[in-house]
């Protein structure tokens, strides 16, 4: 099988590349990635030297690039990870989110119509469901929960999901969609909560917590997400949406305090800063469908996963220092001001 993985130089995409090379050494993998600030070839070290792996630098929203790649390579299946993925950046500047997340997905879908594939899998997010109240811990997102987005990021991901489902209904394209909760683990870009708090704490810098830190996220170790996508590719039904999550809900403050404990640092590093605009309160996934249909269960609980992740950042300082480019430093200074 020849598998096209887009966005494979980013956090989850690269973990999926490594996962697939380990689990399916017979597969040929093509990786298309524009190498934005979030994409790094260092993250693919190891894969780049494999005979069955090929990297192509290119933009999924560039029709010519995508169509000529499909013409020459004729992939059997596509997994689309490529996206602008940071909510705060989407609040500052929605434009690029519309281009990559919506138009880019549209271009890939068009290419799959012209050069038929066995499966187009869209990697989506639980954020398309909006948020749940903090005081209703009995409520969870199911695949039937209405789309109800809050940020330009989640709106662009929801638009892409609707496009994917429309291509299934209208053109019978063999698609599937997964909507996962917050991931964490190796190669997570240090703009997101967990890696940002780890690298700041290691440097004894302030840890900027939005609002009161009471918002809740449902954390999943990235390897468990990769395994779920692999199972959907293998046996998930066409035209279906699968929620992925491991019932690991934590307030942001609890996550930050766990990281500080793990690193032996003081809670005095915590700095409360202005809240995110439109900040979603609580995400919580009901993963019953993927469990029942495909036998997926998460293997790594939060306590074990966060220990592994903190150790990984301690052991891979070169990686995270390398990806924190000038662009990222400028973003950090603008977004967090003087702290
Ligand atoms: P990321 O920002 O770490 O990586 C995105 C990758 O896409 C980068 O390598 C980047 O260079 C590439 N890219 C961006 N624009 C591109 C374009 N126009 N053409 C080609 N490549 C482009 O993101 P991530 O956290 O790995 O997320 C991957 C996918 O998973 C996204 O679709 C995201 O919406 C979804 N998702 C993420 C999470 C999470 O917690 N991180 C949870 C659920 C779903
Ligand atoms: O500096 C910070 N301080 C803070 O309190 C940052 C960066 C975040 N936060 C809070 C905001 C959220 O409540 O932490 C929580 C997690 O924030 P992010 O890491 O930005 O993730 P989130 O907004 O939940 O979105 C993530 O999960 C769903 C991914 O970035 C998305 O790509 C994915 O779709």
């Amino acid at each position: 099988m020849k598998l096209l993985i887009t966005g494979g130089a980013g956090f989850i995409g690269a973990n999926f590349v490594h996962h697939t090379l380990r689990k399916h050494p017979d597969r040929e993998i093509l990786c298309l990635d524009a190498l934005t600030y979030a994409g790094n070839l260092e993250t693919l070290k190891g894969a780049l030297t494999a005979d069955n792996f090929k990297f192509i630098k290119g933009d999924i929203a560039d029709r010519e690039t995508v169509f000529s790649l499909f013409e020459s390579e004729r992939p059997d299946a596509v997994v689309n990870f490529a996206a602008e993925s940071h909510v705060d950046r989407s609040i500052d500047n929605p434009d690029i989110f519309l281009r990559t997340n919506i138009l880019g997905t549209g271009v890939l879908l068009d290419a799959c119509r012209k050069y038929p594939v066995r499966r187009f899998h869209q990697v989506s997010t639980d954020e398309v469901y909006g948020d749940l109240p903090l005081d209703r811990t009995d409520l969870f997102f199911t695949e039937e929960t209405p789309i109800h987005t809050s940020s330009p990021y989640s709106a662009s991901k929801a638009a892409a999901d609707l496009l994917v489902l429309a291509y299934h209904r209208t053109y019978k394209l063999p698609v599937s969609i997964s909507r996962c909760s917050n991931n964490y683990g190796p190669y997570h870009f240090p703009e997101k909560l967990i890696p940002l708090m780890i690298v700041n704490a290691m440097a004894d810098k302030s840890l900027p917590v939005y609002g009161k830190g009471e918002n809740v996220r449902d954390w999943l170790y990235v390897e468990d997400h990769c395994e779920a996508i692999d199972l959907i590719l293998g046996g998930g039904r066409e035209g279906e949406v699968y929620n992925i999550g491991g019932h690991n809900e934590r307030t942001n403050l609890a996550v930050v305090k766990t990281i500080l404990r793990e690193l032996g640092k003081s809670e005095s590093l915590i700095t409360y800063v202005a809240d995110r605009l439109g900040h979603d309160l609580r995400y919580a996934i009901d993963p019953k469908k993927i469990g029942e249909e495909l036998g997926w269960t998460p293997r790594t609980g939060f306590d074990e996963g966060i220990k592994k992740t903190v150790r990984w950042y301690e052991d891979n300082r070169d990686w995270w220092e390398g990806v924190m480019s000038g662009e990222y430093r400028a973003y950090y200074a603008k977004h967090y001001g003087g702290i």
Side-chain angles (χ1 to χ4, degrees):
M1 182 208 299
K2 195 187 265 196
L3 186 59
L4 172 61
I5 298 175
T6 65
F11 164 46
I12 308 173
N15 275 285
F16 187 72
V17 167
H18 296 306
H19 181 90
T20 307
L21 285 171
R22 275 195 307 272
K23 188 168 171 193
H24 304 286
D26 53 322
R27 285 191 185 163
E28 216 179 310
I29 299 177
L30 306 166
C31 172
L32 174 66
D33 195 296
L35 298 182
T36 67
Y37 78 92
N40 277 283
L41 287 180
E42 274 301 303
T43 309
L44 286 171
K45 223 158 101 182
L48 288 168
T49 50
D51 290 339
N52 55 338
F53 180 81
K54 185 164 157 186
F55 181 80
I56 305 105
K57 183 173 188 292
D59 177 356
I60 58 162
D62 180 342
R63 203 165 275 271
E64 220 177 289
T65 302
V66 170
F67 275 64
S68 79
L69 179 66
F70 273 72
E71 169 72 34
S72 59
E73 296 285 356
R74 305 288 173 131
D76 300 303
V78 178
V79 184
N80 181 27
F81 291 93
E84 288 293 333
S85 69
H86 193 35
V87 173
D88 292 325
R89 287 181 186 254
S90 83
I91 293 168
D92 289 348
N93 179 15
D95 273 18
I96 184 71
F97 286 73
L98 310 189
R99 179 180 151 82
T100 292
N101 299 2
I102 307 175
L103 295 179
T105 302
V107 169
L108 291 171
L109 290 167
D110 282 341
C112 291
R113 280 183 66 205
K114 180 157 183 208
Y115 304 98
V117 293
R118 297 212 292 264
R119 177 60 61 93
F120 176 89
H121 182 75
Q122 175 72 358
V123 180
S124 185
T125 169
D126 60 357
E127 294 198 19
V128 301
Y129 300 122
D131 62 355
L132 298 163
L134 289 175
D135 60 355
R136 289 293 307 275
T137 50
D138 56 317
L139 297 179
F140 296 91
F141 297 136
T142 73
E143 289 80 0
E144 275 68 51
T145 301
I147 300 284
H148 189 85
T149 57
S150 311
S151 69
Y153 162 71
S154 56
S156 69
K157 292 295 289 183
D161 282 15
L162 296 178
L163 210 50
V164 171
L165 294 172
Y167 274 57
H168 174 66
R169 165 100 185 220
T170 306
Y171 307 116
K172 307 278 176 278
L173 211 69
V175 306
S176 48
I177 295 177
S178 51
R179 294 180 180 148
C180 190
S181 58
N182 286 56
N183 284 213
Y184 67 103
Y187 303 116
H188 204 181
F189 195 83
E191 68 187 348
K192 307 283 169 57
L193 180 77
I194 287 183
L196 174 67
M197 298 298 155
I198 295 174
V199 306
N200 277 13
M202 281 169 70
D204 292 311
K205 282 173 64 179
S206 298
L207 308 190
V209 171
Y210 298 159
K212 295 184 188 142
E214 63 190 5
N215 303 59
V216 170
R217 296 294 182 264
D218 184 357
W219 295 98
L220 186 71
Y221 194 62
V222 63
E223 192 61 23
D224 283 323
H225 186 188
C226 294
E227 179 60 17
I229 293 172
D230 184 64
L231 289 175
I232 297 169
L233 264 187
R237 287 179 294 138
E238 277 179 26
E240 291 291 319
V241 174
Y242 293 91
N243 282 355
I244 307 171
H247 288 301
N248 276 304
E249 288 178 54
R250 298 283 187 287
T251 63
N252 293 337
L253 199 53
V255 169
V256 171
K257 287 184 177 176
T258 304
I259 291 168
L260 287 169
R261 255 198 320 278
E262 221 28 74
L263 286 165
K265 300 284 182 173
S266 162
E267 289 185 7
S268 63
L269 290 174
I270 295 173
T271 307
Y272 294 94
V273 298
D275 210 352
R276 173 183 280 173
L277 298 179
H279 199 171
D280 279 336
L281 293 172
R282 171 175 168 253
Y283 303 149
I285 280 275
D286 175 356
K288 202 160 115 214
K289 179 173 172 181
I290 190 168
E292 285 180 359
E293 282 191 24
L294 299 170
W296 178 83
T297 49
R299 293 206 180 119
T300 306
F302 188 75
D303 293 342
E304 182 195 346
I306 201 75
K307 277 188 205 307
K308 280 175 32 176
T309 304
V310 168
R311 294 293 90 81
W312 189 89
Y313 280 82
E314 285 183 319
D315 294 345
N316 290 276
R317 188 177 271 276
D318 285 354
W319 178 84
W320 56 264
E321 285 181 347
V323 303
M324 286 157 72
S325 60
E327 187 278 347
Y328 173 66
R329 288 173 203 281
Y331 162 80
Y332 191 92
K334 180 165 176 260
H335 187 69
Y336 294 102
I339 75 150

